Amino acid sequence: MNRRDAGYGAAVVLVTAAAVLLAVLGWGDGGKDPSPAAEDRTASAPADGERPPESPDPDGIPPGPKEPESELKPVTGSFTEREKEYLSGRVPEGNDPAAVLQIGQESCDRIAYLARHDRDMAVSSLILGEITGARDAVTQLCPKQKPLLADAGRGFADGNLRVAAEPEPGKAVAPGSYRAPGPGEDCSWQVFGAGGKELDSGSWSKGAEPRITVPRKAREVSSTGCHAWLNEGDNG
């Protein structure tokens, strides 16, 4: 188990209650990691002619009709303006908005827990989408975590991404210097220029964390097994 996996396992303790709520609301399987990545790892192929069930989008909003804003009221007390903004368009019809709010608050707690123990781990988790609905939770419920969200927006996860002036999560990475704080044993990467010319490549075994520089002339970056790359500045 590497450092990222160990920290991730510890953080799951904080969201046990939220996992139960996810099961009640039909957003996930109680007690299991509700992230899209986990669903991909565990879901089996549907039977012939069977349509796979809908899953929540990366912002944690389930499919189906939602409660109108006029009905977003707790049993006792009232919601703050930030809480109302978070709940708007998010509460499944017929469900308790306070339960949905708790899921967002648990996401904030989980981010804060990771940040206290290892900031790199917190940013990596956001890059990898391991905290469903993190963007809205941070923006509307725990804005003090916005620096983590901003750092995650400048990083990228494994895959094949084009190089562009502005980063675009899951699609494009900006020129600059990057490091992978929690690589797997099979971590490797390549940087390509015009015409598919390889500009750089490497792999990681053990020791210092992997680092790459994406120059401005690069056109594509590819990595596997490195998990998340954190931006260290525009030095491309």
Side-chain angles (χ1 to χ4, degrees):
M1 180 180 291
N2 61 36
R3 179 166 63 92
R4 186 182 72 87
D5 291 335
Y8 178 77
V12 171
V13 174
L14 285 177
V15 292
T16 300
V20 174
L21 286 170
L22 286 168
V24 171
L25 296 176
W27 295 5
D29 190 358
K32 295 182 180 180
D33 176 5
S35 68
E39 291 175 0
D40 290 343
R41 291 193 298 269
T42 59
S44 58
D48 291 341
E50 179 183 343
R51 180 182 178 183
E54 290 185 276
S55 60
D57 69 14
D59 292 328
I61 302 177
K66 305 298 185 296
E67 286 286 348
E69 290 190 28
S70 60
E71 298 299 319
L72 298 179
K73 301 174 183 178
V75 176
T76 60
S78 60
F79 293 126
T80 67
E81 287 303 314
R82 285 189 180 277
E83 291 170 343
K84 289 178 182 178
E85 290 177 7
Y86 176 78
L87 292 171
S88 180
R90 185 180 296 272
V91 181
E93 194 173 80
N95 282 275
D96 181 5
V100 177
L101 177 62
Q102 183 175 343
I103 292 172
Q105 292 169 334
E106 292 286 354
S107 294
C108 285
D109 289 345
R110 185 176 178 185
I111 295 168
Y113 173 87
L114 289 172
R116 285 196 303 271
H117 288 77
D118 189 324
R119 192 179 191 281
D120 284 352
M121 189 185 301
V123 176
S124 295
S125 291
L126 292 171
I127 291 173
L128 295 170
E130 292 177 335
I131 305 176
T132 302
R135 181 179 61 185
D136 286 348
V138 168
T139 301
Q140 295 155 344
L141 299 178
C142 48
K144 66 180 181 180
Q145 304 295 352
K146 282 185 177 180
L148 296 176
L149 201 61
D151 286 350
R154 290 189 287 269
F156 65 97
D158 282 333
N160 299 313
L161 298 94
R162 60 186 176 84
V163 178
E166 294 294 334
E168 186 178 357
K171 297 181 180 179
V173 55
S177 297
Y178 297 85
R179 60 188 177 86
E185 293 182 359
D186 59 343
C187 172
S188 63
W189 61 90
Q190 292 176 293
V191 181
F192 299 99
K197 179 182 178 180
E198 185 177 278
L199 304 179
D200 186 27
S201 66
S203 60
W204 180 86
S205 55
K206 289 184 179 180
E209 60 191 20
R211 293 174 182 269
I212 62 173
T213 296
V214 180
R216 297 183 186 281
K217 63 180 179 179
R219 296 292 181 269
E220 183 181 356
V221 175
S222 175
S223 79
T224 181
C226 303
H227 305 308
W229 293 92
L230 278 59
N231 181 275
E232 289 202 298
D234 184 8
N235 299 314

